């Protein structure tokens, strides 16, 4: 308490304030015969309790009496007729002028509440004007009239004005709390809404204290077990949380509304659910409500909608009670596509999905919209979600959580091996960067599974499986997970769902590529150019090439070889042999899934094999599937998403048919693959295959010298293998005989 001069001069009797107008002045009222208006006095109610008031004179007050309003009597604990000691009080203006005062405000009477916003800046200006040069104390209660409404106020906190400012100097920055202060013209008044109040305040002067950041200061990606999602978190923060971190007065001046919905979509296992849960931990908010989409549905009429309402009930109640001071409520919907399908598409007579979507729409962005919610939806199938949910104001932030890149995989593997490393259970030969390079197209869940598989392999080495299974404790104490454990699990245990299945294309090139002549070399060279174009060109993210040629000329093998040489993380062969028995619609969906999956990887290669078989083409009629044709025409021309590259390799034996179907225009270029057409090329092929002896090959070369042949490499392999089943002395004769029979109509000329 600052030093002051106090002169006790008389005992007075407490009285009731004579008029309502005087009650609003916040002054104690006395007779002009006792004191002068504007004086400050201490009122001592008990030996240990003193209160400071500013006085005002009025002719109706009897000499020897001092009148107080009801809030003043409550604050000071005074009763009518009580004797109090009154003395002068002199403020030390170098230490007791109010720099900033925080006041809690609420409607004086509950029945007079309304939802109109009150400008706290105007309120503060009028407060200073009404109560200028008056004394205020911490915990003091008073009544304030503003815009014809009465408000009950309570002083929460007082800071002294910096003495440097009073001397006309630059502020020193020091802040000092005081119990009693004098209101002056340049004091700052900050209003805070009472906790249970329904009052709505707008403007700068509605909060004083530095806002507590909604971002948890202990937030750390690695501690939370998140890796490879830095870019996604950055985008979500910019869109969804920047407005909640910024000072509210600036947000209000901009007319900015908070984002209320985030949609996370992407392949399974990439961290959507993990990310949603960690957003709740990242924020200084209450624990998020997590609900699986199917849990909302109920067989009883109206119960599904009621389940939606229950999720938002707490947020509604708190917003009604606290208004803008309400905390953030986070609601997480997993498998959102289960309850929010396109309206009007369900076959059910109840239309329960439609009403659930309607209920969710009304809660997020209805007439009585909530501003204290953040709804996070997750799905693997964003195409199934009702369009109305995806517009701005609802799930307006749409974020794809895609497969992690190499840098992301390093982060994820580091997170999952941190504990092993800290306890020296990870062998020095394990290189995380090497593993990240080897795990193209692995999702976060698959990388975690890879670490588990390597751990299991390492532990299995220390288990003795005899008549009983027991652990060799002596060796177990030296347990370490090595590079070979990871590589073994990589090759045998964990395969990426969206990766390259080597078995897919290894069957097509199990005999290798036989470079029987320049045509094969040219095809492989052109294939390498197309791979480099796909990797390096930003102008052509989609490259489509058609390999066409006669049957059995090795088109599929060459397509598989080009795909393998690309070393793209995603390689899939769309083959008719995998769609035997499929209906037209099922076939379209299977083909579309291959292309959709390809768009989820940074670099992808899709081989569309034997296109005329995919189209169910037969020359009798002719007949083909128009539905599959139209689907292929669309998918072959559909560019991948931004930042993704796609190489499509098609194969066909009926270029003329595709020309009639106008499918050739869907390919960037066409490469012709011929049959073996000369005896020299055939002998070169035999030499590369190494099937006959040198003498036998010389005999075959002599027989074919100067003659033309026309046979595919695939058919040639069959004839060679058939000939090799004969006795050695008859093999050449049998081979030449088979070659003549194969080309009897057009292929073998004398």
């Amino acid at each position: 308490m600052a030093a002051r001069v106090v002169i006790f001069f008389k005992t007075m009797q407490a009285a009731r304030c004579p008029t309502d107008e005087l009650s609003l002045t916040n002054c104690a009222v006395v007779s002009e015969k006792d004191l002068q208006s504007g004086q400050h006095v201490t009122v001592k109610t008990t030996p240990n309790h003193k209160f400071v008031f500013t006085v005002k004179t009025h002719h109706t007050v009897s000499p020897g009496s001092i009148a107080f309003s009801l809030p003043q009597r409550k604050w000071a604990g005074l009763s009518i007729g009580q004797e109090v000691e009154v003395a002068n009080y002199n403020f030390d203006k170098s230490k007791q002028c109010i720099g900033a005062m925080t006041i809690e405000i609420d409607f004086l009477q509950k029945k007079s509440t309304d939802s109109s916003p009150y400008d706290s800046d105007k309120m503060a200006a009028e407060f200073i004007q009404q109560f200028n040069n008056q004394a205020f104390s911490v915990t003091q209660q008073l009544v304030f009239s503003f815009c014809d409404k009465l408000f009950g106020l309570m002083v929460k906190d007082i800071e002294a004005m910096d003495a440097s400012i009073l001397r006309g100097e630059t502020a020193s920055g020091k802040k000092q709390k005081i119990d009693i202060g004098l209101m002056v013209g340049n004091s700052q008044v900050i209003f805070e809404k009472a906790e249970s109040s329904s009052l709505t305040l707008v403007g700068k002067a509605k909060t004083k204290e530095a806002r507590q950041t909604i971002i948890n200061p202990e937030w750390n990606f690695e501690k939370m077990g998140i890796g490879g999602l830095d870019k996604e978190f950055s985008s979500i923060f910019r869109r969804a949380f920047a407005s909640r971190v910024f000072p509210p007065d600036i947000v209000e001046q901009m007319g900015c509304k908070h984002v209320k919905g985030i949609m996370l979509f992407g392949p399974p296992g990439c961290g959507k659910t993990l990310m949603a849960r960690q957003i709740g931990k990242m924020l200084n908010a209450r624990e998020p409500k997590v609900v699986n989409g199917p849990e909302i549905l109920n067989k009883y009429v109206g119960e599904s909608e009621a389940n939606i309402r229950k999720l938002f009930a707490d947020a509604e109640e708190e917003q009604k009670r606290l208004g803008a001071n309400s905390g953030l409520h986070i609601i997480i919907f997993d498998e959102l596509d289960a309850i929010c399908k396109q309206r009007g598409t369900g076959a059910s007579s109840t239309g329960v999905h439609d009403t659930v979507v309607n209920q969710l729409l009304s809660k997020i962005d209805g007439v009585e919209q909530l501003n204290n919610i953040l709804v996070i939806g997750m799905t693997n199938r964003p195409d199934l979600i009702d369009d109305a949910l995806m517009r701005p104001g609802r799930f307006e932030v749409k974020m794809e959580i895609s497969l992690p890149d190499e840098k992301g995989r390093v982060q994820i593997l580091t997170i999952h091996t941190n504990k092993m490393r800290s306890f020296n259970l990870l062998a020095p030969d394990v290189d995380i960067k090497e593993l990240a390079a080897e795990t193209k197209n692995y999702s976060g869940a698959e990388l975690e599974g890879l670490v588990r598989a390597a751990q299991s392999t390492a532990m299995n080495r220390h288990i003795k499986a005899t008549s009983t299974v027991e652990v060799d404790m002596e060796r177990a104490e030296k347990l370490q997970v090595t590079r070979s454990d990871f590589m073994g699990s990589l090759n045998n245990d964990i395969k990426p769902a969206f990766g390259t299945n080597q078995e897919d294309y290894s069957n097509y090139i199990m005999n290798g590529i036989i470079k029987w002549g320049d045509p094969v070399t040219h095809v492989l060279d052109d294939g390498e150019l197309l791979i480099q174009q796909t990797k390096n060109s930003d102008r052509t993210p989609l490259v489509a090439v058609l390999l066409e040629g006669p049957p059995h000329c090795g088109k599929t093998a060459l397509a598989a070889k080009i795909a393998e040489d690309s070393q793209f993380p995603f390689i899939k062969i769309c083959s008719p042999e995998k769609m035997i028995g499929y209906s037209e619609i099922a076939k379209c969906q299977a083909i579309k899934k291959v292309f959709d999956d390809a768009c989820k990887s940074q670099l992808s290669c899709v081989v569309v094999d034997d296109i005329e078989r995919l189209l169910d083409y037969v020359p009798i009629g002719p007949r083909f599937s128009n539905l599959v044709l139209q689907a292929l025409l669309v998918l072959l021309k559909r560019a991948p998403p931004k930042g993704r590259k796609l190489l499509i390799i098609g194969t066909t034996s009926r270029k003329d048919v595709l020309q009639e179907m106008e499918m050739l225009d869907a390919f960037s270029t066409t490469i012709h693959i011929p049959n073996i057409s000369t005896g020299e090329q055939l002998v070169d092929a035999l030499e590369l295959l190494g099937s006959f002896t040198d003498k036998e090959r010389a005999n075959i070369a002599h027989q074919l010298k100067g003659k033309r042949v026309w046979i595919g490499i695939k058919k040639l392999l069959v004839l060679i293998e058939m000939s090799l089943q004969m006795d050695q002395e008859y093999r050449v004769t049998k081979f030449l005989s088979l070659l003549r029979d194969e080309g009897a109509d057009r292929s073998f000329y004398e």
Side-chain angles (χ1 to χ4, degrees):
M1 188 73 68
R4 60 190 181 280
V5 179
V6 179
I7 304 172
F8 286 96
F9 69 97
K10 69 166 58 176
T11 300
M12 303 181 75
Q13 270 193 346
R16 185 179 284 106
C17 191
T19 67
D20 291 341
E21 288 76 12
L22 287 171
S23 295
L24 297 175
T25 63
N26 191 42
C27 291
V29 187
V30 295
S31 169
E32 56 190 10
K33 294 179 181 179
D34 290 327
L35 292 165
Q36 295 179 352
S37 287
Q39 277 187 265
H40 311 297
V41 297
T42 60
V43 176
K44 187 175 181 181
T45 57
T46 68
N48 298 320
H49 292 87
K50 296 178 185 177
F51 300 89
V52 178
F53 292 95
T54 302
V55 298
K56 199 175 193 69
T57 60
H58 195 264
H59 67 280
T60 58
V61 179
S62 305
S65 295
I66 180 167
F68 300 98
S69 65
L70 180 60
Q72 289 172 330
R73 296 201 301 275
K74 282 184 177 179
W75 171 53
L78 289 164
S79 57
I80 303 299
Q82 179 180 342
E83 289 189 349
V84 293
E85 291 182 3
V86 179
N88 286 334
Y89 184 92
N90 297 311
F91 279 97
D92 181 350
K93 293 193 176 180
S94 66
K95 297 179 180 178
Q96 287 188 281
C97 287
I98 296 173
M101 183 165 72
T102 305
I103 298 174
E104 189 177 89
I105 183 169
D106 194 4
F107 292 108
L108 184 65
Q109 296 177 323
K110 297 299 179 186
K111 64 181 180 181
S112 64
T113 59
D114 63 41
S115 58
S116 303
Y118 289 89
D119 191 327
S120 57
D121 298 319
K122 293 180 180 178
M123 195 179 280
E126 189 162 327
F127 183 92
I128 293 169
Q129 186 177 353
Q130 281 189 32
F131 303 118
N132 191 28
N133 207 36
Q134 282 197 26
F136 286 93
S137 305
V138 175
T139 72
Q140 183 174 345
Q141 297 178 25
L142 63 149
V143 177
F144 174 51
S145 175
F146 179 74
C147 293
D148 298 325
K149 283 276 184 183
L150 294 180
F151 298 91
L153 310 184
M154 193 269 285
V155 179
K156 287 185 68 177
D157 184 73
I158 300 175
E159 273 180 17
M161 187 172 289
D162 194 333
S164 306
I165 296 175
L166 297 171
R167 294 193 295 268
E169 301 169 3
T170 306
S172 66
K174 294 180 181 178
K175 294 182 179 180
Q176 183 181 355
K177 304 273 186 178
I178 54 176
D179 295 325
I180 301 170
L182 182 68
M183 176 69 64
V184 291
N186 56 348
S187 297
Q188 182 187 3
V189 176
I190 303 100
F191 288 100
E192 278 188 1
K193 189 175 72 167
E195 186 176 341
S196 59
S197 173
S198 59
L199 175 66
T200 304
L201 291 179
V202 295
K204 292 182 180 179
K206 69 176 185 180
T207 181
K208 168 179 115 35
E209 299 171 11
R211 292 179 70 240
Q212 179 188 13
T213 175
I214 66 165
I215 303 300
N216 190 332
E218 297 179 1
W219 169 255
N220 178 288
F221 283 117
E222 289 193 6
K223 283 183 183 176
M224 296 296 181
I226 295 177
L229 295 174
D230 297 9
K231 183 181 176 183
E232 287 79 0
F233 260 109
S234 176
S235 296
I236 287 176
F237 182 86
R238 175 178 62 83
R239 292 294 314 281
F241 301 126
S243 63
R244 297 184 186 273
V245 174
F246 228 68
D249 47 287
I250 297 177
V251 175
E252 284 174 4
Q253 289 170 11
M254 292 178 70
C256 178
K257 291 184 178 179
H258 297 310
V259 166
K260 290 182 284 187
I262 302 173
M263 178 66 72
L264 305 178
F265 63 94
C270 286
K272 298 184 296 297
T273 305
L274 174 65
M275 191 175 190
R277 287 182 179 277
Q278 301 310 338
I279 285 173
K281 293 181 182 178
M282 181 178 77
L283 303 174
N284 279 329
R286 56 184 51 77
E287 186 72 19
K289 293 180 180 177
V290 182
V291 58
N292 291 315
E295 292 176 1
I296 293 293
L297 301 177
N298 193 297
K299 65 179 180 179
Y300 295 108
V301 176
E303 283 299 311
S304 300
E305 298 89 315
N307 289 337
I308 293 286
R309 290 194 292 273
K310 286 173 189 173
L311 289 173
F312 291 86
D314 292 344
E316 281 184 324
E317 186 274 329
E318 189 171 306
Q319 180 160 299
K320 286 178 183 176
R321 185 164 49 86
L322 301 180
N325 289 345
S326 172
L328 183 63
H329 292 251
I330 300 174
I331 301 169
I332 298 172
F333 284 95
D334 204 357
E335 306 298 341
L336 186 66
D337 52 279
I339 59 170
C340 292
K341 290 185 173 68
Q342 291 279 357
R343 285 174 290 181
T345 59
S348 167
S349 59
T350 61
V352 64
H353 285 93
D354 293 2
T355 55
V356 168
V357 174
N358 294 337
Q359 184 68 74
L360 191 58
L361 288 173
S362 68
K363 286 299 176 188
I364 297 176
D365 190 32
V367 177
E368 296 182 3
Q369 56 182 303
L370 299 169
N371 204 36
N372 60 343
I373 57 167
L374 179 64
V375 183
I376 303 173
M378 293 171 290
T379 180
N380 301 326
R381 298 291 307 276
D383 52 303
L384 297 180
I385 306 293
D386 191 271
D387 293 338
L389 277 169
M390 306 300 279
R391 75 156 176 77
R394 290 155 186 179
F395 288 101
E396 66 178 272
V397 178
K398 292 172 276 292
M399 183 62 56
E400 181 178 6
I401 310 300
S402 57
L403 297 167
D405 57 13
E406 190 167 329
K407 180 183 173 185
R409 294 194 294 273
V410 168
Q411 290 180 356
I412 294 168
L413 287 166
T414 301
I415 287 167
H416 291 304
T417 55
N418 262 342
K419 202 160 189 178
M420 286 192 289
R421 193 178 293 107
S422 62
F423 287 97
N424 198 30
L425 295 174
L426 195 67
D429 64 347
V430 177
D431 185 354
I432 296 297
K433 290 184 178 178
E434 179 194 12
L435 288 174
E438 292 291 328
T439 49
K440 294 174 182 175
N441 269 34
Y442 275 65
S443 67
E446 286 160 348
L447 290 171
E448 185 181 2
L450 174 66
V451 174
R452 280 200 303 269
Q455 291 167 339
S456 300
T457 305
M459 288 188 284
N460 191 57
R461 286 199 302 272
H462 301 282
I463 295 175
K464 294 186 293 186
T466 54
S467 55
T468 59
V469 178
E470 56 186 43
V471 178
D472 186 346
M473 293 306 295
E474 290 182 9
R475 293 180 61 197
E477 291 177 358
K478 299 176 183 177
L479 172 70
Q480 278 197 323
V481 182
T482 64
R483 178 182 179 275
S484 60
D485 295 326
F486 277 99
M487 290 304 171
S489 300
L490 196 62
N491 295 326
N492 303 317
D493 297 328
I494 307 296
K495 299 290 182 184
F498 294 92
T500 301
N501 186 356
Q502 196 165 359
E503 296 172 2
D504 236 16
Y505 56 81
S506 60
N507 291 334
Y508 295 107
I509 48 178
M510 59 184 176
N511 295 310
I513 297 298
I514 313 302
K515 296 182 181 179
W516 47 262
D518 289 341
V520 179
T521 306
H522 292 327
V523 170
L524 292 175
D525 289 344
D526 288 345
E528 180 59 31
L529 288 175
L530 292 166
I531 291 167
Q532 295 305 319
Q533 178 186 348
T534 308
K535 282 182 179 178
N536 303 324
S537 174
D538 292 327
R539 293 182 177 179
T540 54
L542 173 65
V543 177
V545 58
L546 178 66
L547 305 185
E548 62 86 16
H552 313 303
C553 66
K555 300 181 295 297
T556 304
L558 286 167
K561 179 62 176 173
I562 294 170
E564 183 184 41
D565 289 347
S566 73
Q567 293 294 301
F568 285 179
F570 182 95
I571 300 173
K572 276 286 192 291
I573 295 184
C574 184
S575 171
E577 68 184 37
K578 296 178 183 175
M579 302 182 193
I580 296 172
Y582 279 27
S583 66
E584 284 186 296
I585 294 175
K587 192 178 286 189
C588 289
Q589 289 173 340
I591 297 170
K592 182 176 181 294
K593 186 178 187 307
V594 171
F595 279 83
D596 287 345
D597 289 349
C599 290
K600 293 170 184 173
S601 177
Q602 302 293 324
L603 284 169
S604 304
C605 178
V606 174
V607 177
V608 185
D609 189 32
D610 213 353
I611 293 175
E612 63 272 20
R613 292 284 72 76
L614 277 174
L615 295 173
D616 297 331
Y617 170 80
V618 287
I620 302 170
R623 296 172 60 187
F624 65 94
S625 169
N626 186 53
L627 200 62
V628 178
L629 171 64
Q630 298 305 325
L632 273 175
L633 286 172
V634 171
L635 293 169
L636 289 171
K637 295 179 181 178
R638 187 180 72 177
K642 188 176 180 182
R644 314 282 168 83
K645 306 288 185 69
L646 175 60
L647 172 63
I648 301 172
I649 306 173
T651 70
T652 182
S653 302
R654 296 299 303 267
K655 180 184 175 184
D656 56 325
V657 172
L658 300 193
Q659 178 74 57
E660 288 184 22
M661 294 178 178
E662 300 182 348
M663 185 176 270
L664 289 187
D665 296 336
F667 291 93
S668 315
T669 184
T670 302
I671 297 175
H672 177 69
I673 300 172
N675 274 343
I676 295 172
S677 57
T678 67
E680 290 77 9
Q681 289 175 342
L682 192 146
V683 172
D684 288 342
L686 293 177
E687 186 177 350
L688 290 168
L689 288 166
S691 302
F692 292 102
T693 64
D694 292 345
K695 185 179 178 181
E696 288 171 331
R697 283 200 302 274
N699 187 5
I700 293 171
H702 177 72
Q703 295 287 336
L704 295 178
K705 188 174 181 180
K707 296 180 179 178
R708 297 187 61 194
V709 297
W710 187 255
I711 189 168
I713 186 69
K714 192 174 176 183
K715 179 68 75 172
L716 179 62
L717 284 169
V718 174
L719 300 186
I720 291 170
E721 290 303 310
M722 190 183 298
S723 303
L724 292 177
Q725 308 310 310
M726 302 287 291
D727 292 335
Q728 190 162 3
E729 57 188 293
Y730 301 113
R731 291 197 306 191
V732 172
T733 306
K734 183 63 178 176
F735 174 72
L736 292 171
S737 172
L738 289 170
L739 199 60
R740 280 192 188 89
D741 293 343
E742 180 64 29
D745 55 344
R746 51 169 282 187
S747 305
F748 190 87
Y749 298 92
E750 296 279 343

